[in-house]
């Protein structure tokens, strides 16, 4: 999936028994898992990683929002030159 190549996978983390599992939310097929000593550990890591991933998306969002404005300015300045 092109978005995954450009922005990285959008992983969702969840626990199944004592294993932590993750899968790309865009459905590109990227996934993985890791076993922990207990179900509590797996659950704790799943929550922590899921939260971290969401916080990371929040930091990237403002840059995405600025993009159309920058594009519009670039087009406008090009038009003024010609
Ligand atoms: Zn992906």
């Amino acid at each position: 999936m092109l978005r995954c190549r450009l922005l990285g996978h959008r992983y969702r983390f969840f626990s199944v028994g004592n294993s932590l599992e993750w899968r790309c939310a865009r459905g590109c097929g990227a996934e993985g898992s890791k076993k922990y000593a207990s179900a509590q550990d797996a659950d704790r890591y799943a929550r922590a990683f899921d939260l971290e991933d969401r916080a990371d998306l929040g930091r990237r969002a403002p840059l995405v929002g600025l993009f159309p404005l920058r594009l519009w300015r670039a087009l406008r300045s090009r038009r003024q030159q010609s």
Side-chain angles (χ1 to χ4, degrees), residues 1 4 8-11 24-30:
M1 209 169 272
C4 289
H9 295 296
R10 181 83 191 94
Y11 285 125
C24 182
R26 298 196 193 98
C28 72

Side-chain angles (χ1 to χ4, degrees), residues 3-76:
R3 271 171 66 90
C4 289
R5 285 218 299 271
L6 293 174
L7 304 168
H9 295 296
R10 181 83 191 94
Y11 285 125
R12 306 297 329 140
F13 296 86
F14 50 94
S15 61
V16 179
N18 67 340
S19 69
L20 167 67
E21 303 196 357
W22 55 90
R23 186 171 297 145
C24 182
R26 298 196 193 98
C28 72
E31 60 186 349
S33 69
K34 188 180 187 338
K35 293 264 185 210
Y36 284 94
S38 69
Q40 285 98 320
D41 276 356
D43 189 54
R44 200 171 61 223
Y45 281 109
R47 285 170 202 270
F49 286 137
D50 214 44
L51 210 67
E52 207 170 276
D53 201 53
R54 259 179 250 174
D56 192 45
L57 191 76
R59 278 199 297 277
R60 280 196 300 255
L63 288 171
V64 174
L66 280 174
F67 184 69
L69 185 67
R70 228 179 261 170
L71 193 71
W72 180 75
R73 279 191 185 142
L75 286 171
R76 196 178 60 161

